[in-house]
Amino acid sequence: MASADAAIGIPADGRQRGVAGRDMPDVLRVLLNGFVFVLLWNHVWLKDLSDRSMLAASEDGSLLTQVLFLGAGAAMAAAIHRIGVRHLHPLLTRPLVLCAVWLGATALLSIEPSLSLRRLVLFAIAAMLSAGVLIVARSPRQLALTMAGSALVIVLGSYLAVALVPNLAIHSAFDVNSDPSHPGLWRGIFPQKNEAGAAMVILVIVGLYVATVASRLLGWAIVLLAAGFLVASGSKTAILLLPVILAVTGLCQVLTGGFLRRLLLLGPVIGFSLISIGSVLAPPIQDAVGALLTDATFTGRSEIWQFAIDNIMIRPWRGWGIGAFWMTERTMYAGSEELTWVTTVDHAHNAYLDTALIGGLPFLALTVVAFVLAPVRDLQRVAGGMRLDAETMLFLRLWFLGLVSASFETVLYNGNNATCCMFMIAVFGLRLRTRYAVLAR
């Protein structure tokens, strides 16, 4: 049995000799990955939501975000080079490469090329960080303990923020674009309660992984702390999706056949898509959903979805470019005869619509192949007919979280979004385990 030298199962005796295959001290591995996880989960702490400057178009981006991601990206690039970039070669699949090429091409053809190229660089760094943590972690236990430390920084920081600076950690009536239902809901160190809710779902999943691999006490402490904050955030989408994620992925331990697993995993994704986009495109679905749910969009998002669909059809083949549609002067101040609150939102609240806005309908099709269908195939290659081990279950839960969240939040191609980054870790992890998991047994 070969010893594994990475969380995804790279055998220690398979490391490349020479400059590109040297070892890294454990302390550097833990510090780098710990910083990266905190950065990906939230890097905008204690945002003042009463600042009216947030109402303006935000094409310049955040200098702090750029500095943090550039610094982390440089450190991760050095670590990947030292360990051996060849260990990431399994990620060069045709669907993923085609997605990258199309994304780059549409950025060049964007209505705002300079803006799209900046956003593309940020996303590329986030993707590299998401892949890098998988080979920087020496073992599943080290990955679990590193994630546990980062999770405690986030969740305890959020509780302390609520206790010490409630004006910056709890929604109030003074928030710009304040929703009548938001005052009193906790957001902790996060910019918004929905971002806090999504992060807490991630931490619950991380806590379950820690409890299985490293420490039952520490893992369940993270689960309980994160679940408590999730309830206090009042994030309806996150609260609804968490039990669905745990139930469906838990059933994957029982239903091990390929067809049943595909049906179990893709069925809810199709269902949520019908509830969301389908309720806008098809009146019969809208009537059926309306009879079952008083608010199928959870926050009246149907207007946003219709606005997004209308603009997709303006540029259906190449899209508008990454980051070049929402919260830009063209969208917010384009001189429309009927300007509404819809033009001031920062995303479509639907990842599939935003993907089509970025790169057109062909890009949406490529994304479905690369990030929806291919991971299901990889899952069956890793654990077809068998129960799932802890790492595969972690990746499965994070991947499924991204897919079911995609119908109500923008969680694809957004390096600023925690769910997007964890989703990429899951997709990359499942792919890498098709190459290395067997070798590590």
Side-chain angles (χ1 to χ4, degrees):
M1 179 182 294
S3 60
D5 199 21
I8 40 81
I10 297 174
D13 54 6
R15 292 282 178 171
Q16 182 180 6
R17 298 182 182 277
V19 176
R22 293 177 293 175
D23 194 13
M24 278 182 62
D26 282 346
V27 64
L28 293 182
R29 292 173 183 260
V30 171
L31 288 176
L32 175 58
N33 273 0
F35 177 76
V36 167
F37 280 124
V38 172
L39 176 67
L40 297 182
W41 288 338
N42 184 46
H43 59 275
V44 181
W45 286 41
L46 302 175
K47 188 173 184 178
D48 183 6
L49 296 186
S50 65
D51 184 359
R52 298 189 64 81
S53 65
M54 292 189 299
L55 295 173
S58 57
E59 298 183 13
D60 291 336
S62 167
L63 178 60
L64 176 61
T65 296
Q66 295 167 8
V67 170
L68 289 174
F69 273 83
L70 286 172
M76 183 60 76
I80 292 174
H81 173 73
R82 184 179 182 90
I83 292 172
V85 69
R86 70 189 182 94
H87 296 302
L88 295 179
H89 286 176
L91 300 183
L92 297 179
T93 64
R94 186 174 301 173
L96 288 175
V97 170
L98 286 175
C99 277
V101 170
W102 194 280
L103 186 61
T106 55
L108 294 173
L109 297 174
S110 167
I111 58 172
E112 297 286 350
S114 61
L115 173 60
S116 289
L117 288 173
R118 290 201 305 271
R119 300 291 171 82
L120 180 61
V121 169
L122 173 64
F123 175 73
I125 293 173
M128 180 185 67
L129 294 174
S130 300
V133 294
L134 297 172
I135 66 169
V136 168
R138 187 181 296 279
S139 65
R141 179 176 174 81
Q142 186 182 91
L143 176 66
L145 291 175
T146 304
M147 296 180 84
S150 302
L152 289 175
V153 169
I154 295 293
V155 71
L156 293 180
S158 292
Y159 276 106
L160 287 174
V162 169
L164 300 178
V165 283
N167 59 308
L168 296 177
I170 301 176
H171 281 288
S172 75
F174 297 102
D175 297 349
V176 297
N177 290 328
S178 177
D179 186 288
S181 65
H182 284 185
L185 298 179
W186 291 10
R187 60 185 177 94
I189 62 175
F190 295 86
Q192 210 263 354
K193 60 103 176 176
N194 285 339
E195 294 183 35
M200 294 305 145
V201 172
I202 292 171
L203 297 192
V204 168
I205 293 172
V206 167
L208 293 173
Y209 174 64
V210 172
T212 303
V213 174
S215 168
R216 184 173 300 178
L217 177 62
L218 180 58
W220 280 104
I222 293 171
V223 169
L224 294 176
L225 287 170
F229 202 95
L230 171 61
V231 173
S233 75
S235 179
K236 291 179 286 186
T237 302
I239 293 172
L240 169 68
L241 293 182
L242 178 58
V244 174
I245 293 164
L246 297 181
V248 170
T249 56
L251 284 174
C252 283
Q253 292 283 42
V254 179
L255 304 177
T256 58
F259 174 77
L260 291 176
R261 271 186 179 165
R262 286 183 176 88
L263 182 63
L264 185 63
L265 293 171
L266 298 181
V269 175
I270 296 172
F272 281 123
S273 295
L274 289 176
I275 290 175
S276 56
I277 302 177
S279 66
V280 176
L281 295 177
I285 295 178
Q286 184 178 27
D287 294 340
V289 171
L292 295 174
L293 300 175
T294 58
D295 182 16
T297 65
F298 300 104
T299 52
R301 294 169 185 168
S302 58
E303 290 182 50
I304 305 175
W305 294 336
Q306 187 62 62
F307 181 71
I309 292 170
D310 292 342
N311 281 277
I312 289 169
M313 301 317 297
I314 294 175
R315 295 168 67 95
W317 302 112
R318 59 179 178 175
W320 297 81
I322 184 171
F325 184 75
W326 301 108
M327 291 298 288
T328 62
E329 292 185 0
R330 181 183 298 271
T331 302
M332 298 179 70
Y333 317 120
S336 172
E337 295 180 359
E338 188 178 350
L339 291 177
T340 68
W341 64 276
V342 171
T343 62
T344 65
V345 301
D346 56 1
H347 57 84
H349 288 281
N350 187 287
Y352 306 112
L353 293 180
D354 269 322
T355 298
L357 281 170
I358 289 172
L361 297 176
F363 186 52
L364 175 59
L366 287 173
T367 297
V368 170
V369 173
F371 293 101
V372 179
L373 302 181
V376 175
R377 179 199 60 196
D378 291 338
L379 174 66
Q380 287 305 105
R381 288 181 178 178
V382 173
M386 300 183 297
R387 291 179 60 85
L388 308 180
D389 60 35
E391 290 72 49
T392 303
M393 178 59 80
L394 170 68
F395 298 145
L396 177 62
R397 284 171 172 160
L398 292 175
W399 172 77
F400 192 66
L401 164 65
L403 285 192
V404 294
S405 298
S407 292
F408 306 104
E409 301 293 343
T410 294
V411 296
L412 299 177
Y413 304 108
N414 181 2
N416 279 321
N417 184 277
T419 305
C420 172
C421 296
M422 295 303 103
F423 180 74
M424 287 193 291
I425 287 177
V427 172
F428 298 157
L430 288 172
R431 178 60 191 164
L432 290 170
R433 284 181 70 77
T434 63
R435 173 71 64 87
Y436 298 120
V438 175
L439 297 177
R441 291 172 185 167

